[in-house]
Amino acid sequence: MKLVSRAGRGAGYFSRCFLHSMAQTTITGTKLQCYHCGEPSPDDSIKADDKVFCCQGCKMVYGILNQTGLCDYYSLNENPGISQRITIRKDKFAFLDDEKIQARLITFKDENQVHVTFYLPQMHCSSCLYLLENLHRVNKGVVSSRVNFTRKEVDIAFLTGETSLRGVVETLASIGYEPYISLNDLKEKRPPINRSMVYQLGVAGFCFGNIMLMSFPEYLGIDAQETGLRTVFRWGNFVLALPVLLYSALPFYTSSWKSLRHKFLNIDAPIALAIIITFIRSAWEVLSGEGGGYFDSMTGIVFFMLAGRILQDKTYRQLSFERDYTSYFPVAVTVLKEDAEVPVSLPDVKPGDTMLIHHGELIPADGILSRGRAFIDYSFVTGESLPVLKETGELVYAGGKQTEGNIEVLVVKEVAQSYLTKLWNNDADGAGKQEAKHVSFVHLLSRWFTYIVLTIAALTAAWWQWHDPSRLWPAVTAIFIIACPCALLLSNTFTNGNILRILGRNRFYLRNAQTIEDIAGINHIVFDKTGTLTYTQRQDISYTGEELSDAELEAVAALAGSSTHPLSKSLVTHLQTGKRIPVDRFRESTGEGIEGAVNGMRIKLGAAKFVTGNRQSVPGTQVHISIDGVVKGYFLFSNHYREHIPQLLKQLGREYRLSVISGDNEAEQASLRQLLGPRATLLFHQQPEDKLQYIKHLQQQGDKVMMIGDGLNDAGALRQSDTGVAVTEQANNFTPSSDAIIEAGELTRLGRFIKLCRANRKIVVASFVLSIIYNIIGLFFAVQGTLSPLIAAILMPSSSLSILLLTFGSSSLLAGRMRM
């Protein structure tokens, strides 16, 4: 017999709790659901006000909300609560009483009030917003709380005499919103948003609009008797052009100067030259009284280019593409000093200290296990999907999470010297990729464009020097005015900006516009397995052997439920019997299995040697079963692949070379080979350094590599690759440093995202060709020295607007066809 099942989760709708006195229990099939979080409830033993809860924690949160009149929380969304099955230990937040830590976390403090900002990863719906905005009704010391839903942050102001920082955090934790406070929060605060370019755009827009208004007399002609008024308008335009020249155009001067210092001609250099020449030519005309100049064209160029740059440079500030190990570490750890538990800030933990690591906590420093039995989950560090058993006296590494009980660890290395820190710094000797590794093809196009314009200007100067020197200056300056490569920059920035917006809307977030071009150039995609192609916490479980009766299955589930081992927990979730049966004479053999008596049956669960006396003959993770001394069969645990991953791999395999590198064992090799085909490369037992070296090897062969991973063990490979993509269940969750962040649910659309990035270059080139047509028309007048302000005023906006329509229209149309 062979069966496979997967645990699911339902949802129900509940009205306001204070309006209902009769029982409200959500039933899906025959299973009960928790009124607070919607998780399955084994029975109705935990109740309050005739409502069923899955655990005492959910019941407690409901009691708090009911007591404070905040049960509208349940009417806004279906089962909005967060499961409270994992209780928060007492004194977990004692470290917040430390004044040094408080000073780093607090954003403002005076004699009466304290302001602080917390990141709440649990925030997910309008019910969360409602509850957090009404935090003052739960904690009377809170004055106000403002939620930034996009960044999942809450700004809280509280009275110093009524509550404390620790009290506020404990209040948040008690209602299911424990703040994520990491060691990174003790570092310098991130700088505020730089709004200087926004101000520069505003100044340019104001001046451009008014100069256009006052230039109409120049376009349409003016009576000779109104020459005084014309002079006033010209000088007004001159004055309005000064702030644009000296302030709004600063980004182009700065960028071009930096590029010239590095002996590189970027696209901003000819643009800066065109702006300066246009102003000088226009100022000369106004001062000499020969004309009104081209101030409208100059300010228009600056305005449109700044607008495109702001659109392109829009970043997802709530995301972090540059994380280090401090983002993963807690602020403090419990250290045993003279038999007392003392919270100590991580930077103050020294070799020789004994850390008390509670269940579910991260080990922040390398050490020796001095007391307790450790089942350490290293999946985020090494990629190994199952916890590792460690006995007293063995070395444990930083980055693992203890999954069973409390342990004591004797520190042998400082936090900054731990194994986890080295994972982040393994490219410190030059292995990491350089910041400006790739040069945009736009800069290469603009370089040739500039050379051509300079050649045309030189030939025009030579021609007029020979035939009519008086027309040399107007002709040469007109060439630089009309042949500015601003159209190329506009097409690039607006196309990039729109594609960044489209991808972000589909939960694929890129670090910057250059990443679009990097993605377009890849030819080899490397996947991590655990957590990327598969779910970290979900597994497929199949049973092979003699068929078990319902009573036997219930007994097996009861025995497995008595163990805290991750495989036992997965087995209980898989069986879902919904019954609680007492277990007698329970015994657990570390690293081997468990046994006990259930309803008169003697059951053993565990490794093949523990249950059958023989070694395991079939590869993979197995839990064998015997009942009353008779071997019944075994449960086979395998990775649960994300939905539609097989289709994605087949689609990508037609166009790209594929590799899968994993820190896990070879149990999935056969299924992966079937998915990827014979051409793909499969590597297992890969340490972080091995992954990094593999990426380097591919690049030395000439491949452009995209690395897709999710854990710390992928950090070096993500940085080394041409494009590193971090996979996360939610965009705000912790991810390694990367070029892009993709939500796991959108991974199956990766092929479409790459196609859209590849279309970016075609759209930019098409826009550039269109701008060349406008330049040819303008140059026809410019080389003759007859370019009038009216012609310039028509050509420049027409070129800019048509490019905007083409770039936005084309990229949006392509995205629509790809259903994005």
Side-chain angles (χ1 to χ4, degrees), residues 730-778:
Q730 292 185 0
N732 295 81
N733 286 358
F734 178 84
T735 54
S737 176
S738 60
D739 299 303
I741 297 174
I742 185 170
E743 290 198 15
E746 304 300 324
L747 184 61
T748 55
R749 305 170 69 191
L750 181 65
R752 299 182 192 178
F753 297 150
I754 296 176
K755 285 183 179 179
L756 184 61
C757 292
R758 292 170 65 178
N760 170 74
R761 181 186 294 247
K762 296 178 181 178
I763 295 173
V764 172
V765 171
S767 303
F768 185 52
V769 171
L770 179 63
S771 69
I772 291 294
I773 297 174
Y774 285 103
N775 283 330
I776 291 174
I777 296 172

Side-chain angles (χ1 to χ4, degrees), residues 184-230:
N184 186 59
D185 294 317
L186 300 188
K187 297 164 68 176
E188 295 296 325
K189 297 295 181 182
R190 59 186 173 186
I193 298 174
N194 184 3
R195 300 187 181 277
S196 59
M197 195 174 292
V198 177
Y199 300 143
Q200 290 165 337
L201 176 67
V203 170
F206 172 81
C207 296
F208 172 52
N210 283 280
I211 288 174
M212 285 288 291
L213 184 65
M214 290 193 290
S215 296
F216 270 100
E218 295 285 349
Y219 305 152
L220 305 177
I222 196 168
D223 295 336
Q225 60 215 17
E226 302 293 343
T227 53
L229 184 60
R230 181 176 60 188

Side-chain angles (χ1 to χ4, degrees), residues 59-110:
K59 177 183 174 182
M60 183 187 69
V61 175
Y62 165 78
I64 294 173
L65 300 184
N66 192 28
Q67 187 177 2
T68 53
L70 290 173
C71 280
D72 275 345
Y73 174 75
Y74 296 105
S75 67
L76 296 174
N77 290 276
E78 300 175 355
N79 309 114
I82 308 299
S83 176
Q84 302 296 305
R85 291 180 187 268
I86 301 176
T87 57
I88 297 173
R89 63 179 175 84
K90 184 182 178 182
D91 296 331
K92 178 176 182 178
F93 303 107
F95 66 90
L96 293 175
D97 292 331
D98 188 326
E99 292 185 358
K100 293 181 180 178
I101 294 177
Q102 289 181 13
R104 290 287 190 175
L105 297 177
I106 290 171
T107 56
F108 171 81
K109 182 178 182 180
D110 62 16

Side-chain angles (χ1 to χ4, degrees), residues 1 543 546-557 575 577 601 627 632 635:
M1 183 186 78
Y543 175 72
E546 183 180 332
E547 185 174 358
L548 300 176
S549 66
D550 291 343
E552 289 173 331
L553 287 173
E554 291 171 359
V556 168
L575 295 175
T577 61
M601 293 180 284
I627 300 178
K632 295 289 186 176
F635 289 98

Side-chain angles (χ1 to χ4, degrees), residues 133-149:
E133 292 277 6
N134 287 277
L135 193 63
H136 60 278
R137 294 167 65 177
V138 181
N139 187 329
K140 300 301 181 183
V142 174
V143 177
S144 66
S145 52
R146 294 183 301 168
V147 174
N148 186 321
F149 192 79

Side-chain angles (χ1 to χ4, degrees), residues 12 50 56 72 97 186 249 314 322 334 346 393 520 579 592 642 655 679 698 758 806 813:
D50 295 326
Q56 292 292 341
D72 275 345
D97 292 331
L186 300 188
K314 177 188 175 184
E322 289 289 355
T334 302
L346 280 197
K579 291 187 178 181
E592 296 180 356
R642 298 185 186 277
E655 300 183 48
R679 294 177 53 220
L698 294 178
R758 292 170 65 178
L806 177 62
L813 180 62

